[in-house]
Amino acid sequence: MDHPVGFDGGRLLVVAFEGWNDAGEAATGAAKLLARRLGLVEIAAVDPELYFDFQFSRPSIVAGDDGVRRIEWPGAAILGPGGEPELDEPEEQLTGPGAEGLHVLLGAEPARSWKAFTAELVDAALAADIDGIVLLGAMLADAPHTRPLAVFASSENPEVRASLGVERSSYEGPVGILSVIADQAERAGIPTVSLWASVPHYVHNAPSPKAVLALLGKLEELTGLSIPRGSLEIESKAWEAGVDALAAEDDEMAAYIAQLEEARDAVDAPEASGEAIAKEFERYLRRRGDGPAGDEPWRPREG
């Protein structure tokens, strides 16, 4: 695959935000794994006082390695090379074109001043000589946990679409901070691509290692990076087995999952049209939020 400028071994910035864009903590889980594997350190950060409502995104008190308790404030920071990788085994080193220049932006979605927030972070990306941006997201979807979790890749940049073979999203409606960053980055001349993983809505309360794996796999496919998974494969199988156990105790849930499996298998069939697949993804997008909507035959129990 031929990669456009920014995705051919250039300095990439991988972006993930907690909250609305991060079902199953999949996007931030993938970004944090990258940061650990590369030993990234903070090189730029926003002032949380300017952008966050602390009654909505409350600070936390944590104990450090020295036993001293300190306040951690919500915010957003760009992480770049400069530290020691956190590896359980030597072979867990992240490699591939551009690995040494990979940056990560992690944060919480701001409560206000989105334009100024985005402008500050895009300026920091330009100062770090970022050539391309990959935005990671995860959405609640009608996706069966027993099948590979789909990842939809899109870009507003014609060169990126042509070179990476991704689509242009036709979604219209409310958006999160990822869409605003993508828009402003493109205006500043930094090409972007967005990756959205589908997370089964009926297990939305728990982190989804299977969705993290799906995002990492798509990131590898588009960039040529080689990203060791560590214990993620084992965690993903344990997660799937745990959902299987829940379904085994709930006939309505099991029947609903069977319906999702049938629908997914139909979309994945060789005869399925591109239009049918696109429509399925548009349904996923419109389900984004805090929980399931509509008149499905099964819903997660309260409590």
Side-chain angles (χ1 to χ4, degrees), residues 157-233:
N157 187 301
E159 183 184 358
V160 173
R161 293 200 301 273
S163 299
L164 297 184
V166 302
E167 301 178 30
R168 185 178 191 176
S169 174
S170 60
Y171 170 73
E172 295 181 82
V175 297
I177 194 64
L178 293 179
S179 296
V180 181
I181 290 177
D183 177 74
Q184 292 305 307
E186 289 284 355
R187 292 175 187 272
I190 306 177
T192 67
V193 63
S194 298
L195 308 181
W196 283 87
S198 299
V199 177
H201 70 78
Y202 52 89
V203 285
H204 66 280
N205 289 327
S208 177
K210 190 169 183 176
V212 174
L213 282 174
L215 282 172
L216 292 176
K218 194 67 172 181
L219 182 62
E220 282 186 331
E221 177 188 330
L222 296 182
T223 64
L225 291 168
S226 178
I227 307 169
R229 306 302 201 266
S231 61
L232 267 179
E233 297 280 2

Side-chain angles (χ1 to χ4, degrees), residues 15-108:
V15 178
F17 280 85
E18 300 169 2
W20 197 67
N21 312 273
D22 192 29
E25 300 176 19
T28 53
K32 288 175 181 177
L33 182 142
L34 296 175
R36 291 195 304 272
R37 291 283 186 269
L38 292 168
L40 303 185
V41 296
E42 183 178 302
I43 62 172
V46 300
D47 180 353
E49 291 281 349
L50 300 177
Y51 305 114
F52 292 89
D53 179 343
F54 298 137
Q55 288 188 319
F56 179 73
S57 300
R58 289 186 177 273
S60 301
I61 189 163
V62 297
D65 294 336
D66 55 3
V68 176
R69 285 151 53 89
R70 66 184 186 280
I71 298 291
E72 283 190 351
W73 298 90
I78 293 180
L79 312 177
E84 290 296 323
E86 294 182 21
L87 309 175
D88 294 329
E89 301 291 342
E91 59 269 21
E92 289 185 352
Q93 181 70 52
L94 192 154
T95 59
E100 69 282 353
L102 189 69
H103 289 58
V104 168
L105 167 55
L106 274 165

Side-chain angles (χ1 to χ4, degrees), residues 144-146 202 243-261 297-298:
H145 71 283
T146 54
Y202 52 89
V243 182
D244 286 343
L246 289 175
E249 298 176 355
D250 189 323
D251 291 341
E252 289 187 20
M253 181 180 182
Y256 179 55
I257 293 172
Q259 291 179 12
L260 295 182
E261 290 171 337
W298 181 87

Side-chain angles (χ1 to χ4, degrees), residues 263-286:
R264 175 61 187 272
D265 291 344
V267 170
D268 288 344
E271 63 271 18
S273 68
E275 181 180 357
I277 296 172
K279 286 182 177 178
E280 186 73 12
F281 179 71
E282 292 301 331
R283 289 183 64 235
Y284 291 170
L285 283 176
R286 296 187 185 283

